[in-house]
Amino acid sequence: MRSKDYGEDVLAGNWRLPRKGRIPEIPADRDLVVEDPDSGFCGAVVACGKDEVTLEDRFGKRRVFPLAVAGFLLDGRPVTLVRPGPRRTGPAISASGSVYVQGHRARVALESRIYVEGVHDAELVEKIWGHDLRVEDVAVEYLEGVDDLPLIVEEFEPGPGRRLGVLVDHLVPGSKESRIAARITSPHVLVCGHPFIDVWQAVKPRALGIRAWPEVPRGFDWKEGICARLGWPGDTGAAWRRILGSVRSYADLEPELLGRVEELIDFVTAKE
């Protein structure tokens, strides 16, 4: 199978030469995901020496490659990896990209809450925004779907100082989820969501070492279809653990999810 990233014919001329300008030099920082175009090996940087870099793929296999000019692909484009410079001193950064608050002590959670659809959504939010949410004293709970969302909102009794933020999967025009969300009219409730069929798709393919998320025809179980098309075992629980394990920071998530979670956090922590 030929990838369109390499053009019509990788042997026609030198694909390593950029069409415009020079090939960018990228520091081989830990966890940077790149591909060796010659072997097709794709993995995250785990070590970098003077002349070589070590990559680890999603199965834990490691290989060492030379730091050659245009020796790797980053998002399908040739780059030159260089040895990282000295680490900058400064405040620690959390997985969400915010400043890590040292010595924070747990307190009673705010009455405001964030609800997500399922346990996978909750685990992903916890992995990336868990520190931020604990600093803000916001609890996250999962609903097991949104079919009963209007009743759940009513039982929550939102009001001043008791806000509710809801993250919904596949919130696109004309979807069942969009019709349910339209029934929520309280000014103390914010329902927003991402366009993906499932939160799995909110993880960037490159974090998993794949080109793109496969298409699954309607009428088939989406998660099982994904596993089959990626050649993974049919255990969707194990598949999710593999996906979640590939996420190291906000950089591994799509902007459509990042923006919505940040919006919900801002909403439930806003002063009234």
Side-chain angles (χ1 to χ4, degrees), residues 31 33 202-207 246-254:
D31 296 334
V33 178
V203 177
K204 290 181 177 179
R206 73 181 185 194
S246 72
V247 176
R248 295 175 173 84
S249 76
Y250 71 95
D252 294 322
L253 302 182
E254 298 289 0

Side-chain angles (χ1 to χ4, degrees), residues 157-169:
E157 297 181 347
R162 187 176 170 80
R163 290 186 165 199
L164 178 61
V166 184
L167 180 68
V168 178
D169 297 341

Side-chain angles (χ1 to χ4, degrees), residues 39-220:
S39 65
F41 187 90
C42 183
V45 174
V46 293
C48 186
K50 180 180 179 181
D51 301 308
E52 76 287 328
V53 62
T54 304
L55 303 183
E56 180 180 291
D57 70 9
R58 66 181 186 275
F59 303 111
K61 182 179 179 181
R62 294 189 177 190
R63 290 185 59 178
V64 179
F65 298 93
L67 291 175
V69 175
F72 299 91
L73 295 177
L74 177 62
D75 293 337
R77 299 180 183 276
V79 297
T80 299
L81 292 188
V82 296
R83 191 176 184 183
R87 288 180 175 267
R88 296 180 180 179
T89 59
I93 302 298
S94 73
S96 70
S98 64
V99 175
Y100 191 90
V101 178
Q102 301 286 350
H104 177 71
R105 294 183 177 181
R107 296 176 293 186
V108 176
L110 297 177
E111 290 190 57
S112 298
R113 292 284 189 275
I114 292 177
Y115 285 173
V116 297
E117 281 203 52
V119 65
H120 291 178
D121 307 71
E123 289 175 342
L124 186 58
V125 169
E126 165 61 27
K127 185 162 188 178
I128 301 303
W129 290 275
H131 173 73
D132 307 62
L133 293 166
R134 281 185 285 277
V135 169
E136 298 290 351
D137 306 313
V138 175
V140 175
E141 302 176 14
Y142 65 90
L143 305 172
E144 293 293 356
V146 295
D147 289 351
D148 298 323
L149 184 59
L151 177 60
I152 292 170
V153 170
E154 183 180 347
E155 292 176 345
F156 181 80
E157 297 181 347
R162 187 176 170 80
R163 290 186 165 199
L164 178 61
V166 184
L167 180 68
V168 178
D169 297 341
H170 198 226
L171 191 61
V172 296
S175 68
K176 175 192 73 173
E177 291 81 2
S178 66
R179 292 190 293 271
I180 293 173
R183 295 165 59 188
I184 310 300
T185 58
S186 170
H188 306 291
V189 179
L190 174 63
V191 180
C192 61
H194 56 75
F196 308 113
I197 295 174
D198 190 273
V199 76
W200 287 21
Q201 281 186 309
V203 177
K204 290 181 177 179
R206 73 181 185 194
L208 289 159
I210 61 176
R211 296 285 186 189
W213 285 101
E215 294 289 336
V216 178
R218 288 191 175 187
F220 290 86

